[in-house]
Amino acid sequence: MMSDWGWAGIAVALVIWIAIAFWPARVARRKGHSWLLYFIFSLFFFPAALIVAYMVKDRRGLYVRRGGRGQ
């Protein structure tokens, strides 16, 4: 049976693991990619997700909004 400190350690590690997974997801979101997909990707493959998030192209510049009425 695990001691109380053991369960607390697992809980702290889980919170840190999930918190770190937000990093690649936020980078990808700023570049116009899916936040949720990168978050799930980084939960399982954090180093790869971080590298991919910084290397993917920024999609935000591809879409130009047209102004004016009727468009």
Side-chain angles (χ1 to χ4, degrees), residues 11-53:
V12 169
L14 186 62
V15 168
I16 290 171
W17 178 35
I18 291 171
I20 288 174
F22 281 100
W23 181 8
R26 290 190 61 194
V27 171
R29 182 67 187 146
R30 279 187 295 224
K31 290 184 170 191
H33 295 272
S34 171
W35 180 89
L36 182 61
L37 289 177
Y38 272 86
F39 180 72
I40 293 169
F41 181 31
S42 66
L43 280 175
F44 295 101
F45 304 106
F46 173 76
L50 188 61
I51 291 168
V52 170

